[in-house]
Amino acid sequence: MAAADELAFHEFEEATNLLAETPDAATTSRSDQLTPQGHVAVAVGLGAEDEVEDSDKTSLLQEEKQQPGFWTFDYYQSFFDVDTSQVLDRIKGSLLPRPGHNFVRHHLRNRPDLYGPFWICATLAFVLAITGNLTLVLAQRKDPSIHYSPQFHKVTVAGITIYCYAWLVPLALWGFLRWRKGVRERMGLYTFLETVCVYGYSLFVFIPTVWLFGALALALSASGLVFTLWPVVREDTRLVAAVLLSAVVLLHALLAVGCKFYFFQPLPPEHITPPPQVISLSPNTLLASTSPRTMVT
């Protein structure tokens, strides 16, 4: 260790002796010679990083500016960019609503989609039309007097009804909440697509129970809507919140009851063949009808 120390400080001892002999001599260090180059190298490195950051910002700004318009196909393509696991998770969340579990916060996560609501509405419309026709077929087997013919118009009626409900009701609800947010600033607000997504997934529960359209399916679907909308409307007055949630449940119940009575009528009046009527005639009527003939003969 001593030999190492002597070797480590030997250079400094020689430099001290030279300075003592020539005090006016100027000394230069190797580090001093490399310092300007080092500074230049650092400066160049920082400049390169700044250029990379500037290029990244420029590319991001260009991407933001190049967003397609809402009239183009590319604009709506992002709303269908979901995988099967996400759709199944959102369907599961709509089937099992519970208090304190917000569907938008826990399942949508600021990424609403139109893929699930679109195909749920299409499936529900076809299932309604098909099961409505099957109901008439079964009724005809029980009563042969019923004349059955395929009712293809029910597909159109079911599609228009379901899609109008899944789009127009969320639009009216979103507009009302947006207006109330201007009155009471503390209120939260869902986007229009989030509202459509909530209503679309809430209709899935009617597909497996479409034959009965029972109270259980209506209760599950309506409770999911109430639990999702409650965090938004609770900041409003109690009267407005109660009226709004009651209107949401009432419209949902009208949809279920209307579909029940329109698509599942077991004996439609226009498809029942009336029984033949037997008219009994009295003897006096028969004599009156035959007497002119006897006088002519």
Side-chain angles (χ1 to χ4, degrees):
M1 292 297 295
D5 293 338
E6 290 177 357
L7 291 174
F9 291 96
H10 182 68
E11 179 181 356
F12 295 100
E13 291 176 357
E14 291 181 354
T16 305
N17 295 330
L18 290 174
L19 286 175
E21 294 177 357
T22 58
D24 296 333
T27 59
T28 57
S29 168
R30 188 175 183 85
S31 61
D32 293 338
Q33 295 177 358
L34 295 177
T35 300
Q37 297 178 357
H39 284 294
V40 172
V42 172
V44 171
L46 292 175
E49 292 179 358
D50 293 337
E51 290 178 358
V52 172
E53 291 179 358
D54 293 338
S55 63
D56 292 339
K57 292 180 180 179
T58 305
S59 61
L60 290 175
L61 291 174
Q62 289 178 354
E63 290 179 359
E64 292 179 357
K65 291 180 180 179
Q66 293 177 357
Q67 287 183 353
F70 67 92
W71 60 87
T72 60
F73 180 77
D74 294 335
Y75 177 80
Y76 299 97
Q77 187 176 4
S78 61
F79 302 127
F80 292 85
D81 187 14
V82 289
D83 54 14
T84 306
S85 60
Q86 290 177 337
V87 174
L88 292 177
D89 179 70
R90 294 172 182 184
I91 290 175
K92 188 186 299 183
S94 66
L95 291 176
L96 301 173
R98 56 184 184 271
H101 188 79
N102 193 334
F103 181 81
V104 175
R105 184 184 305 169
H106 293 87
H107 296 282
L108 296 185
R109 298 185 182 93
N110 296 325
R111 288 194 60 187
D113 69 286
L114 295 179
Y115 180 87
F118 176 81
W119 287 112
I120 288 173
C121 293
T123 305
L124 181 59
F126 278 102
V127 169
L128 280 173
I130 292 171
T131 51
N133 281 271
L134 287 177
T135 302
L136 296 179
V137 171
L138 296 178
Q140 184 186 22
R141 290 187 175 182
K142 294 180 181 179
D143 188 357
S145 63
I146 300 176
H147 175 68
Y148 167 74
S149 61
Q151 298 180 342
F152 296 104
H153 68 280
K154 286 188 175 182
V155 179
T156 305
V157 175
I160 293 175
T161 303
I162 298 301
Y163 276 104
C164 287
Y165 178 82
W167 281 89
L168 296 182
V169 174
L171 178 62
L173 178 62
W174 175 77
F176 179 79
L177 292 177
R178 189 175 180 84
W179 171 69
R180 291 301 300 175
K181 183 175 176 60
V183 177
R184 299 182 66 87
E185 297 180 354
R186 295 179 58 186
M187 283 186 59
L189 182 65
Y190 296 142
T191 63
F192 173 66
L193 289 178
E194 287 176 343
T195 309
V196 171
C197 196
V198 169
Y199 265 83
Y201 279 101
S202 68
L203 296 176
F204 180 83
V205 69
F206 292 119
I207 296 176
T209 60
V210 70
W211 193 280
L212 301 176
F213 246 95
L216 178 61
L218 177 61
L220 288 174
S221 184
S223 60
L225 292 176
V226 172
F227 294 154
T228 303
L229 294 174
W230 173 246
V232 176
V233 302
R234 66 182 177 184
E235 299 296 337
D236 207 335
T237 60
R238 292 184 178 179
L239 178 61
V240 174
V243 171
L244 181 61
L245 294 180
S246 300
V248 169
V249 175
L250 180 61
L251 290 174
H252 223 57
L254 287 177
L255 176 69
V257 174
C259 291
K260 172 70 175 178
F261 283 100
Y262 180 80
F263 292 99
F264 301 100
Q265 290 182 0
L267 298 175
E270 63 272 15
H271 289 164
I272 298 179
T273 304
Q277 297 180 358
V278 179
I279 302 175
S280 60
L281 298 176
S282 61
N284 294 330
T285 305
L286 293 174
L287 290 174
S289 61
T290 56
S291 59
R293 295 181 181 179
T294 54
M295 293 176 64
V296 171
T297 55

